[in-house]
Amino acid sequence: MSARLIDLLSRLAPRERVLLAIMLGVALPAGLIFGLLLPLHDMRNAALDDRSDALALNLWVQARVVELQGLPQPEETIVTAPIGTSGIEQALIERGLRDAVSQLSADSQGVVTLRFDEVRFGRLADWLSEAHPRWGYDIAALRLDAADTEGSVAAALTLVAPDG
């Protein structure tokens, strides 16, 4: 193998040998740097940025937990009988949210399903905060997804009567 390489190089003109040496001495390391090392460096920097973002988010969440612990605890709520779908519908009408409801139903065990395809998050949160303690249901499931309109969400709630 080395004999063939020597034979090949001996057939080249001196100028071709110099160009080959320059190509191997400059182009090959440059290709290695630009093709392998720089992308690895960029990926490392992106991973460090993601780690910094995750740490900042963690610190923010910890600060909210400390803030939450400093808030006064709610008083004991009096458990009332479930108000049913008609009571929930009336509360939605009073708050101007009835038009945003895409599903409001109850099954035979009294589990109520409530779905909004698009509703303003602030209005929904205010209604939930005000209504929950007195409607006679526990929130078994709550799912919020971002909607197409900024500040709006798609929401799905499952309400169950508390065990008592």
Side-chain angles (χ1 to χ4, degrees), residues 70-150:
L71 294 175
Q73 296 301 316
E75 299 174 11
E76 287 292 319
T77 58
I78 299 170
V79 178
T80 60
I83 60 175
T85 55
S86 61
I88 293 172
E89 186 170 19
Q90 186 60 40
L92 288 165
I93 291 169
E94 290 171 5
R95 296 296 282 211
L97 292 171
R98 181 59 182 109
D99 292 338
V101 175
S102 57
Q103 178 186 359
L104 175 58
S105 61
D107 65 10
S108 60
Q109 284 101 21
V111 176
V112 177
T113 303
L114 182 63
R115 194 175 83 230
F116 298 86
D117 288 334
E118 187 170 335
V119 64
R120 299 292 298 173
F121 175 75
R123 293 181 68 199
L124 177 66
D126 289 344
W127 175 73
L128 284 173
S129 297
E130 183 246 282
H132 172 57
R134 57 183 179 84
W135 61 16
Y137 289 100
D138 288 333
I139 300 174
L142 172 63
R143 180 182 173 118
L144 299 173
D145 295 311
D148 293 335
T149 307
E150 186 176 336

Side-chain angles (χ1 to χ4, degrees), residues 33-67:
I33 288 170
F34 287 111
L36 182 64
L37 297 179
L38 284 179
L40 288 174
H41 180 71
D42 293 342
M43 289 182 350
R44 180 180 182 270
N45 286 341
L48 288 174
D49 289 344
D50 290 345
R51 180 180 178 268
S52 296
D53 291 346
L55 289 174
L57 178 62
N58 185 17
L59 290 174
W60 182 84
V61 168
Q62 289 176 1
R64 298 299 71 79
V65 167
V66 169
E67 186 178 293

Side-chain angles (χ1 to χ4, degrees), residues 2-20:
S2 61
R4 279 193 275 165
L5 181 61
I6 292 171
D7 186 44
L8 175 71
L9 291 175
S10 66
R11 281 189 263 150
L12 295 176
R15 186 182 334 165
E16 292 172 332
R17 281 186 233 143
V18 169
L19 287 174
L20 183 62

